Each structure stands twice: as C-alpha cells, then as structure tokens.
Amino acid sequence: MDVFATALPALAEAWALILQPVVLGYLILGVVMGLAVGVFPGLGGIAGLSLLLPFMFGMEPVLGLALMIGMVAVVPTSDTFSSVLMGIPGSSASQATVLDGFPLAKKGQAARALSAAFTSSLFGGLVGALFLTLFILVARPIVLAFGLPEMLMMTVLGLSMVAVLAGRVALKGLAAAGLGLLLGTIGEADAGGSLRMATYDIPYLTDGLDLVIVGLGIFAIPEIIGLLRQDRAIAKDATLGAGWGDGVRDWVANKWLSVRCSLIGVLVGIIPGLGGSVVDWIAYGHAVQTTKDKSQFGKGEIRGVIGPESSNNAKEGGGLVPTLLFGIPGSGSMAIFIGAIALLGSGDIEVGPAMLRDNLNITYSIVWLLALANVVGTVLCIAASGGIAKLTTIRFTYLAPFLFMLISFAAFQSGQNFEDLLALVAIGLIGIFLRRFDWSRPAFLIGFVLSNPVEKFSNQAFQIASFRFRQSFGEGIEYLFSPIVIVLLIVTVVSVVMGIRQAKSIRVEGDVQSGSKRAPMVFLFVVTAYTVCALINANMIPDYNLTDKIVPLLVGGITLLCCLILTVQMILRPETDALFADKEAFGEDADAPYGLWPTLAWFGGFIAATWVLGFILALAAFLVTFLRVRAQSSWPRTLILTAGGIALMCVMAGALNRDFPPGLLQSAIDLPWPLN
Amino acid sequence: MTIKHIARTAAALALLTTPAVAEVDFSGKTIEWVIPFSETGGSAKWANFFAPLLSQELPGQPTVVVKYMPGAGSTKGANWFQEQDHKDGTLLFGTSGSTQFPYLLGDPRVRYEYTEWVPVMASGTGGVAYLNAEDGARFDGSANNLKDVDFIYGSQGATRLDLVPLLAWQMLGMKVEPVFGIKGRGDGRLMFERGEATIDYQTSSAYLGASADLVASGKAVAMMTWGALDEYGTIVRDPTFPDLPTFKEVCEATEGCETSGEAWDAWKAFFVSGFPVQKIAFLPAGTPDEVTETYTKAFEAVRSRPDFAEIAEQEVGKYDMFLGFAAKRATIAGTTVSAEAKAYVLQWLKDAYGVTSLE
C-alpha cells in the first residue's frame, strides 16, 4: 500500500502539470512536427529530436518534454503511411506491417488498412501507458532479471519467427535467414574487432550495413521496380474499395488480438538492449498463430496489420522503463531524449535510478504525455488517411521517381557516404531476386536484424557462463537455465513446431508459379558461392579471436548445408516443383509491359548521375528525363513536378540540417547550397 | 568592360578588403560544429551543450548547428576534417578520446594529423572504479587482498577508453576478465547491477547519475578514481570526488605496483588522453589567428557566465576547461605518447587480448 500512497499524489500532480493549455499546445506542436518527419521513410525520431535539441536548453521542463514526447510518440504511428501505401518500411518498428498492409493497399483498401493500423497504434499506446503507470514502480527487479541468457533467448524467439515466415519451401526460408545473418556479420566484430568480409581499404564496410538501407533495399526497391514495370496505380483498378470506417470496425472485431500484442509490445520494450526490432515480428508471428484461416497472410490479412501496429506503439511506452529507471536508452531516439532532459530547465532532472524517487511526478507526466500524444497523433492520422490513401490511385509512374528520390535521400542520411547509395542498389538487387525466386524476404530481414544481438548475447553469455562453471557446476546451470529462460525456451519450441506446420499456407510473397530450372539454380549458385566465401573468410580469423568467428562459421555452415540440399533437390525434381518458383515465368511480372533491367536502369542511372553531378543536379536531370520519356508527361507538368520534388528535398534538408550526396563535380568546383 | 573583368575586379577588391576587417563577424552565418559520432553519444551531448552558449557569445550571434558524421570509430569524420581548409571560420570539429586513441595507437584507418589542427577548447572528465559488495569488503585502500579474486568486467573493447581501467587493474595485479562487445558504459553498469559483472567503472557524470546510488545503498564499493591533473601535470585527487583515493595512491599501497617506470608512463599517457583532455574542439589547419582568438574569447565568455558552474555540472563536471594557450598545451599532452609507452601498450594489447591489427 506504500506504493500507492506515493504514486497517487504524484499521478495527480502529473495530470495537473499536463493539463495546461500551453503544455497541450506544445504537445500538439511536437506531434505535428513528428508527423511531418515520420511520414518520410528512414528519418524517424532521431532526426526530429536532434532538430529540437538546440531549443531545449533552459526550457521549462514540462514544455520541453511535451514537445519532445509529442515528436517521438507519433513516429511509429506516422511511419505506417509509407509501410502501407508504398511498401517501404518506415522504420524498423513497422517492417512487419508491410507484409499485409501493402497488399491491402494494392487491393484498393489502403484507407481501411491505415485506419485499422492507427486505431491499433492508439490502443497500443494507451495500454502501454496504463500498464506502465502501475508497473514502473515495481519494474526494477524485473528488468534486472533479464540477464544475457534471457536476452539471448528473447532473440532466439525472434529468430524462431523465421519458421512461420519461411514460405512454401522451408529450406529456402532458412537459407534466406542464414544469408541475412551472414550479411549482418559484415564488418568489424564487436567482441575482438576482427574484420568479416571487409577490409580497412573500404572503410564503409568495416561499420557493417545499416538497417535502414537493408530495409529499404529488401522491401522498397523490389516493390517500386515491380509496380513501375506494370505502369498502373498501386490499387489494382485505381479505386478505393473500403473507407476508414471499415478499418476501425476491423479493429473492434480483433480487439483481443490488439490487447495481447500491446502487452507483448510493452514487455519486450522494457528489456534494454533488444529494442524495437523484434517486437513487430513477434507480434506478427502471434497474429498468424492465433488466426484460424491463415491463407490470407501475405495477401492482405487485416490481422497482420493490427498485430504489429498494436505492439510497436506499446513498445515505446515499455522502452521508457530502461530509459527512465536506469538511464539506459532503449533506442537511438531515447538516447537523445536522455541527453535533452539534462538540458531542460536548470538541469536538475536526471534520468536514472533517482528519477522515481525524486521526480515521480515528472515520470508520470512523461508516461501520460506519451499516451496523450498517441491520441492526438492518431486522430490527425485517421483524419488524413482517407485523403492520403488516394495516392494509391495515381498512376505509379508519376510516384516512382519521387520514391527513388526519397529512398536515396533516406539511405544517404544513414551514413552520409556515397557508398550508402551503392549499398542500397546492391541490397535492392538481392531483394529483387529474393522476391523473384520466392525466397522469404521477411526471413532474410529477421536474420539481418537479429544477427548482431545473437552474436553479442551468445558470446557474452557463453563467457560469463564459463566463468560461473569454473566456480561451480551448479552456479553455471543456475545462470543459464533460469525460470525465464526455460519459459522462453518452451515458447520458442512451441512457436517453431506450430510455425513449421503453418508455414506452407502463409505465402509472404503471394502465389508464385514455377518456371524453368535455369534461373533459380543460378541464383542458388550465387548464394552458395557467397556463403562459401564468407565461410573461408571467417575461418581465416585467428583462433584467439574465436568469439569473432564462431557465429559466422556456424551460421555459414547451416546456410551452406541448406544450399547443398536445395541443389540436390533442384537436380532431382521436375521443373514444375515449388522449388523453382520464378515470378518472371508467369503472372504479373512476366506480363508486365516493361522489363526488369530497363526499369532498374533508371534507378541505376540516377545513382550514377549523382556520383558525377551531385544529388540535386542529378535529381533535376533524372526527374525531367523520367517524366518526359517514361511517363510521357507534357513539358509544363514535367517542370512543375520536378520543381516540386527538388523544393521538397531542399526544404527537408534545410529544416533538418542535412547534406546531399556530393558528386565529382562538387569536388572539382565549389557550388552554392543546395548544389554543393 | 566584360563580365570576366568585373568578376576579376570584384575578386581583387575582396582580397584587398579581407585583411582590413580585423574584427571577425559571423552575422547571418551558420557555424557547423561537426562531431565524428552519432546523435546518441557523449560527444553529441557535449557539443549540443556548448552550441547554444557559443552562439550567444560569438560576434554576430551566428547559428551554431551540430552535425554528426559517425563511422569507423570516429576515424571517418576525423579523416574528413583533415581534408578541410580554412574558409571563413564557420567550421568547428570536436574529437574525443575515441578519436585520440586510434591516433596514438597507430590504427591503420587513421589518416589525420592532430598537430596540424588548431585547438580552441579542451575539456575533460574523470572516472571512478567500483567493486561489488562482496569483493569490495576486502578492499582496504590497496589491491593486496583482491589479487586472488576473479573479476568480470563488461567492456567496449581493449583499444578504446577501456584501455585505461584494464591496464590499471592489471598493474594492480588483479585478475579482471573483460566481456567485450557492449555498446556503452551504461550497458556495463547494467551488467554489474545484474550481478553478471563484478567490477565496473563510469565517467564522473555517469557515476554521479547512477552508480553513486549503488554505492550509497551498499550494493557496490567505490574503489578509486583515475585522478585529475594539476597545473604541473601531476596526478592529484579528483575535485569531484575528493574523498576517494586515486589509482596512484592505490598503486603505491599495493605490492608490486609501481608509480614509475614504463608501465606507469604508458598508463599515464593514455589516461591523460582519455580523461583530463578527453574532448577537444578544433578549427581546421590554416585558420588565421584572429579567428582562433575570436573563438577563444567566445568560449571564455561562456566560461565566465555567472551560472556556468551550475549548468555545466552535468556536462563537464568540476573539471577545467582549457582555452587558448592552455588548450594548445592540453592538446599536445592528450595527443602525444612516447615511443616507449606506445610500444609497451601495443605489446600488452597483443599479449593480453591478441590485438594485432594496430601494427
């Protein structure tokens, strides 16, 4: 009862702090700014928050918090727009939304998908806040109970979702996940600093590939190219079939799924170090496993949108626990948030263990500001969704060049290297072929996302476990097999067994017909060759850095085994087998009026022009040529659209204080902004 | 008169007038403060703290924006800065110990040269090491009773700032096994709180923010600070923690640990670069004196704000900010090690952790 005696007055104080017109005004301002930043893929809360940082200095704490929280809270809401409408994962938290949200948009049900997603987000945010209000007082020991073995098991649970999303041929899904894991190990190892598939001569590779780029390359580029080849609108018959009211009704029909996924979101969110990358996949897996008729997943199942969207906003609430209680940021934006809080007011609010004791009212203000921001953001988003959904009825040829523009800009922001653009093209190619040959792209992405945590947690847990075993056998066992680990182990096994049984009916790539043997075999051969190279490369790492080679060797070995079995199967089976799925053989892609390579060449040409002319000049040339030649647009229209696109880029870069990729021209002569 | 002619005249006029304007004025300009780290690290916090203050004090009140250029453990940004020439004084660059250590250790990625840059401000921090309660009970101001205890420590990597604590514990004869690959000292503290790690260290502000609570509640025992430098370059007690002994004191009290000789010199060299001179703000090579002077004055004005001590406590603690000549001297101290000290540390890194990529 002690707990309540302190909590209730603090809660009342918090509400008194929040419910002032000026605080609400700042909150709405933050929400609007967050929405403006969040609709652009790849930018997200980090860019927005660092934009606000200079203003935080000495600001009234509640006002500053309202502004920042307004912005952070709505990013996972507003990034749904690009996931659903364009198939571009707006951030790591909405990758799973793409799987069913985008097919819904293709069916002309974008408004329905969006409003179902927003309602779920809203609900998830509220559940998160409610849960935290009680939980934050007792959270400390629970967070501390999650040691390295527990985190490793959570990561393994995330990986087990591969079983659900593996596609028709389980081995292909497994190999795709293995390839993702292998690509995730590229660069300097965390533990010993050895290089994997990288060299100091190409500094870009030593940092490894960025999640933003891999997400865009694997999901966005194949979809954009695919749609562009067909020269029609995203929504198949260019009409909107269902309105936003349907989405809200969908949510009501699935409210219990939403409750469960919200709780999953909060619980995973409170564990520091896991972050948001697994949450949406676990929620998606849960949505699949609890649905009776699984045949619609990957083709536009509304439950596949409601699940992940309920969890990703709830996760933001959960993520506040490690941030506020331990001063340990759960994500990049939370790290800036901590830094910014120190600048607020007289600097006496300090995030960390003292927060609950000294500033419980501020803590509660943060929790409920977050909930309130969710409400405001959702209302704005739902109001906008009907209008924005109309984008899916525009002829895609008019959208595509601007999407290329946006994803190139977003990719460049991740590391500000020209290599970011090259990596985007390279990963895009992998994505195109994974899609073409029906290798599960979600499985690949899960592998990539979890590569680093798997390696880190298994190495560290192993090291500490062997330390404990040296003290006594019992201590080691006790450390490794805590009750939490055992529970997670059971959940994982159940989810794998159920997943394998169900995987065959879940077509994450839609229905893909089989074609001839040659093309799928060439792709398999390339994957096998890369795996062999990665294995040889990992094996060259000296043994005293065993921590740096063990995971690549193990993962590479399993991937190679999958590839070899697939090779044997391919040789033995007839070419009508599901193994030889090839989108270029039958269906939409095969019948498309434009070929794959000429379409890709437009994007490649744009990147090449950027290398020579710099981003803005190349963009102008690209937009004009594309709109004139490919879209057959009139001159006035071409010029207006081009000017609009360049203006948008300049406003964004100017406001967020970002650079554009420079080209050879810029290194030869000095040009004024934005050409430099 | 052709256009070319006009342009030439204008250029000539501009050249003539520039030296005449002795007063540097940044009215309407934007100053970019580039840091080679992401938005989330300590250097971002540092630069963002100073940026608005600097903006108020520079002539013409320019906007000061912080730009992030992370990559390759900060060597990417530093290599970029090496290529920049002085233009109009609107470029500032901030480095930290993570930029200094690769430079000192001869990392193959380093293509920058500290001696060519113009330092305007340097600031530092301190660090505190602490033990878990059980082993801490055996700590008596020396490490004599700790030599047979196996410790575990969550570390970011032996070639980073963690080099300083790891080498210190080794010199004390303690057996500390580092678990590599954590992402920040906050993760290290969490590992300690979970009981997985049994020894930890934090920089001063992080220690005050979280670890001091652990010590106060008896869950941890403070062991020592790394100390601070006085004006003669001698290690003295850390002004933020005057009650805690320094590593130097603990070393003197511990059998087999010496505060002279090559190990000590090596430790001290890296300590100076990692703590008292941890973060430095530079102007590019070739910056004229009047621009440097303008920045020095602005930072001086920041430092003499009546409320500076209070607002800076979180960011820079009770540590000196070095400006002007002092910044130059501090930079030299923080970016040079003797060949012997370097050789000693490289050998130790190779023997203890198998690090060979630095040769």
Side-chain angles (χ1 to χ4, degrees):
Chain A
M1 279 298 109
D2 261 12
V3 172
F4 285 104
T6 49
L8 285 176
L11 197 58
E13 268 175 60
W15 277 107
L17 276 175
I18 297 174
L19 293 177
Q20 306 176 51
V22 59
V23 176
L24 295 177
Y26 268 75
L27 184 73
I28 292 172
L29 183 67
V31 167
V32 171
M33 289 165 70
L35 290 179
V37 177
V39 291
F40 294 107
L43 282 176
I46 292 187
L49 270 184
S50 35
L51 179 71
L52 290 180
L53 265 184
F55 304 102
M56 288 300 128
F57 188 80
M59 196 188 243
E60 178 66 31
V62 180
L63 297 184
L65 287 173
L67 198 57
M68 288 193 293
I69 291 173
M71 174 160 246
V72 186
V74 293
V75 168
T77 309
S78 60
D79 64 8
T80 309
F81 278 117
S82 64
S83 308
V84 169
L85 297 179
M86 313 289 169
I88 300 174
S91 71
S92 62
S94 58
Q95 286 161 345
T97 312
V98 174
L99 295 187
D100 281 294
F102 190 49
L104 279 167
K106 283 185 183 167
K107 287 184 186 169
Q109 300 183 358
R112 175 188 170 205
L114 284 175
S115 63
F118 295 140
T119 316
S120 309
S121 288
L122 168 65
F123 185 72
L126 290 178
V127 167
L130 204 62
F131 185 74
L132 277 186
T133 305
L134 302 172
F135 184 69
I136 204 161
L137 298 167
V138 295
R140 209 179 160 81
I142 299 176
V143 173
L144 286 178
F146 272 83
L148 292 165
E150 288 81 7
M151 290 204 253
L152 178 62
M153 273 318 299
M154 283 298 294
T155 320
V156 171
L157 176 62
L159 267 183
S160 76
M161 294 304 152
V162 167
V164 180
L165 298 165
R168 270 192 299 177
V169 183
L171 271 179
K172 271 159 89 176
L174 195 56
L179 190 64
L181 279 160
L182 276 184
L183 284 191
T185 64
I186 288 178
E188 235 179 4
D190 272 345
S194 324
L195 292 178
R196 279 94 56 102
M197 295 302 278
T199 141
Y200 282 122
D201 296 327
I202 311 173
Y204 183 77
L205 283 180
T206 59
D207 279 346
L209 297 166
D210 192 276
L211 175 61
V212 171
I213 291 179
V214 175
L216 290 174
I218 290 295
F219 279 115
I221 291 196
E223 296 303 337
I224 296 175
I225 299 276
L227 280 169
L228 187 52
R229 288 174 59 190
Q230 292 167 38
D231 204 0
R232 57 165 178 88
I234 295 175
K236 242 174 204 155
D237 35 11
T239 52
L240 289 177
W244 64 268
D246 298 287
V248 178
R249 276 191 289 278
D250 283 323
W251 177 82
V252 174
N254 293 295
K255 52 188 176 301
W256 294 114
L257 173 70
S258 187
V259 173
R260 292 192 303 268
C261 289
S262 303
L263 290 177
I264 292 176
V266 189
L267 291 174
V268 179
I270 62 168
I271 305 166
L274 279 177
S277 35
V278 286
V279 168
D280 53 338
W281 293 118
I282 295 180
Y284 188 83
H286 176 74
V288 171
Q289 284 162 357
T290 53
T291 305
K292 282 207 185 74
D293 173 20
K294 298 175 175 54
S295 62
Q296 289 306 308
F297 278 100
K299 297 175 193 157
E301 167 65 55
I302 198 76
R303 284 170 70 88
V305 174
I306 291 173
E309 285 298 313
S310 302
S311 73
N312 67 13
N313 270 47
K315 175 216 78 193
E316 292 297 307
L320 281 177
V321 172
T323 308
L324 297 179
L325 261 61
F326 295 89
I328 291 161
S331 65
S333 44
M334 280 299 149
I336 305 176
F337 185 66
I338 292 181
I341 286 182
L343 297 178
L344 286 172
S346 46
D348 52 2
I349 303 178
E350 207 173 313
V351 168
M355 186 92 189
L356 282 193
R357 198 181 52 218
D358 305 341
N359 297 96
L360 189 59
N361 55 346
I362 295 281
T363 311
Y364 274 139
S365 305
I366 292 176
V367 170
W368 283 100
L369 277 170
L370 191 73
L372 220 53
N374 266 310
V375 175
V376 177
T378 312
V379 171
L380 288 178
C381 282
I382 292 188
S385 62
I388 294 184
K390 291 210 176 75
L391 276 178
T392 56
T393 60
I394 297 174
R395 190 177 147 213
F396 192 72
T397 317
Y398 280 108
L399 284 178
F402 299 102
L403 293 181
F404 282 141
M405 167 183 96
L406 281 176
I407 61 174
S408 308
F409 182 70
F412 180 71
Q413 296 318 318
S414 78
Q416 312 216 356
N417 295 297
F418 184 75
E419 288 94 328
D420 287 323
L421 299 181
L422 293 181
L424 179 66
V425 176
I427 304 285
L429 272 178
I430 299 178
I432 286 172
F433 287 116
L434 290 177
R435 174 175 178 269
R436 175 175 167 180
F437 298 117
D438 195 23
W439 291 51
S440 167
R441 285 180 290 162
F444 176 90
L445 200 62
I446 293 177
F448 179 82
V449 168
L450 296 180
S451 178
N452 183 280
V454 163
E455 178 163 24
K456 183 171 72 182
F457 294 142
S458 51
N459 276 332
Q460 294 178 350
F462 176 79
Q463 203 177 336
I464 293 181
S466 48
F467 187 84
R468 298 278 171 101
F469 273 115
R470 257 179 279 152
Q471 286 171 341
S472 82
F473 182 76
E475 249 183 78
I477 290 290
E478 199 183 324
Y479 174 69
L480 280 184
F481 294 99
S482 71
I484 299 178
V485 170
I486 293 173
V487 169
L488 287 173
L489 202 64
I490 295 169
V491 174
T492 308
V493 170
V494 170
S495 119
V496 169
V497 171
M498 281 172 70
I500 290 174
R501 227 187 288 160
Q502 295 154 357
K504 288 194 169 56
S505 56
I506 302 158
R507 309 275 166 87
V508 282
E509 297 290 1
D511 284 319
V512 185
Q513 300 285 325
S514 297
S516 71
K517 275 192 176 189
R518 200 172 120 227
M521 282 196 88
V522 170
F523 182 65
L524 177 65
F525 177 73
V526 173
V527 171
T528 313
Y530 177 80
T531 309
V532 170
C533 288
L535 273 173
I536 293 173
N537 181 274
N539 196 39
M540 276 159 39
I541 295 172
D543 275 342
Y544 55 74
N545 271 340
L546 197 65
T547 48
D548 296 353
K549 64 193 279 193
I550 190 89
V551 168
L553 281 181
L554 192 68
V555 171
I558 295 172
T559 314
L560 187 63
L561 190 68
C562 291
C563 289
L564 293 178
I565 299 175
L566 280 170
T567 312
V568 173
Q569 287 182 343
M570 281 195 174
I571 293 169
L572 296 177
R573 294 192 187 172
E575 57 186 39
T576 49
D577 193 274
L579 267 180
F580 301 102
D582 184 350
K583 284 205 168 175
E584 297 293 324
F586 297 98
E588 273 188 351
D589 284 25
D591 304 333
Y594 295 94
L596 170 65
W597 297 109
T599 310
L600 195 59
W602 279 105
F603 184 50
F606 172 44
I607 301 295
T610 301
W611 184 61
V612 179
L613 298 174
F615 187 71
I616 287 291
L617 286 174
L619 179 64
F622 168 70
L623 288 178
V624 169
T625 325
F626 188 94
L627 290 170
R628 281 296 295 165
V629 176
R630 182 68 190 269
Q632 303 271 322
S633 167
S634 65
W635 270 113
R637 196 178 216 181
T638 301
L639 293 179
I640 291 171
L641 286 174
T642 305
I646 291 176
L648 176 67
M649 281 290 91
C650 291
V651 167
M652 256 172 79
L656 296 175
N657 186 33
R658 300 280 157 153
D659 286 329
F660 295 119
L664 291 177
L665 181 70
Q666 279 73 12
S667 54
I669 46 171
D670 276 340
L671 290 167
W673 194 86
L675 302 178
N676 55 344
Chain B
M1 233 178 170
T2 59
I3 291 175
K4 210 182 209 173
H5 188 82
I6 297 174
R8 243 186 235 155
T9 319
L13 273 176
L15 276 178
L16 276 176
T17 46
T18 314
V21 187
E23 284 288 294
V24 181
D25 185 19
F26 291 120
S27 300
K29 295 234 174 97
T30 298
I31 289 176
E32 291 193 345
W33 189 340
V34 179
I35 54 162
F37 301 94
S38 74
E39 290 94 334
T40 57
S43 291
K45 203 172 152 190
W46 173 76
N48 275 304
F49 169 72
F50 279 109
L53 299 174
L54 188 61
S55 161
Q56 287 170 19
E57 304 298 347
L58 280 170
Q61 275 87 47
T63 318
V64 181
V65 296
V66 179
K67 281 204 146 178
Y68 311 93
M69 194 183 279
S74 88
T75 58
K76 178 195 151 196
N79 287 338
W80 169 86
F81 184 67
Q82 181 69 28
E83 304 287 314
Q84 306 304 309
D85 302 318
H86 167 73
K87 277 191 198 115
D88 50 3
T90 57
L91 174 64
L92 199 58
F93 185 71
T95 70
S96 94
S98 316
T99 327
Q100 278 141 246
F101 275 33
Y103 174 80
L104 294 178
L105 292 169
D107 188 298
R109 288 170 295 183
V110 171
R111 291 178 179 80
Y112 49 91
E113 183 47 61
Y114 266 104
T115 53
E116 293 173 12
W117 303 346
V118 184
V120 285
M121 185 268 280
S123 69
T125 179
V128 185
Y130 52 97
L131 310 162
N132 69 358
E134 190 189 330
D135 299 319
R138 304 165 70 172
F139 177 68
D140 59 356
S142 81
N144 291 336
N145 300 328
L146 298 173
K147 290 182 180 178
D148 55 345
V149 184
D150 288 311
F151 288 100
I152 224 162
Y153 169 64
S155 167
Q156 285 160 279
T159 60
R160 323 244 166 148
L161 229 47
D162 283 350
L163 188 154
V164 173
L166 286 172
L167 186 54
W169 290 324
Q170 146 117 11
M171 286 163 68
L172 290 172
M174 291 164 65
K175 287 182 281 182
V176 176
E177 188 176 336
V179 173
F180 289 123
I182 64 163
K183 281 288 180 247
R185 291 267 23 103
D187 289 342
R189 174 166 48 83
L190 202 55
M191 209 184 249
F192 179 87
E193 281 196 57
R194 290 195 303 251
E196 291 177 320
T198 52
I199 193 167
D200 191 35
Y201 108 87
Q202 297 288 328
T203 56
S204 300
S205 62
Y207 179 83
L208 288 173
S211 309
D213 257 19
L214 295 177
V215 172
S217 62
K219 289 176 191 150
V221 175
M223 184 185 182
M224 59 193 175
T225 68
W226 308 133
L229 286 186
D230 69 3
E231 53 192 307
Y232 309 105
T234 318
I235 291 179
V236 293
R237 282 207 171 184
D238 189 320
T240 313
F241 308 100
D243 299 333
L244 289 180
T246 62
F247 165 54
K248 192 177 178 188
E249 294 170 50
V250 175
C251 181
E252 276 162 354
T254 303
E255 286 163 40
C257 186
E258 284 180 27
T259 54
S260 62
E262 62 176 357
W264 174 259
D265 291 343
W267 181 82
K268 190 176 168 186
F270 282 90
F271 155 69
V272 171
S273 147
F275 292 90
V277 194
Q278 192 191 39
K279 301 204 191 303
I280 315 175
F282 287 100
L283 291 164
T287 300
D289 287 345
E290 65 264 23
V291 175
T292 317
E293 192 60 25
T294 310
Y295 273 95
T296 306
K297 279 202 183 118
F299 274 115
E300 247 159 32
V302 168
R303 186 170 59 176
S304 46
R305 277 172 69 119
D307 59 345
F308 182 74
E310 192 192 332
I311 57 179
E313 180 116 28
Q314 263 276 310
E315 306 295 320
V316 283
K318 288 182 192 159
Y319 301 97
D320 281 337
M321 238 171 101
F322 305 98
L323 299 173
F325 181 69
K328 223 166 263 173
R329 208 175 48 186
T331 304
I332 294 172
T335 57
T336 37
V337 285
S338 66
E340 294 82 29
K342 180 179 170 183
Y344 178 87
V345 167
L346 287 179
Q347 190 60 43
W348 168 68
L349 284 172
K350 191 177 168 187
D351 295 343
Y353 307 112
V355 177
T356 51
S357 61
L358 298 169
E359 285 162 3

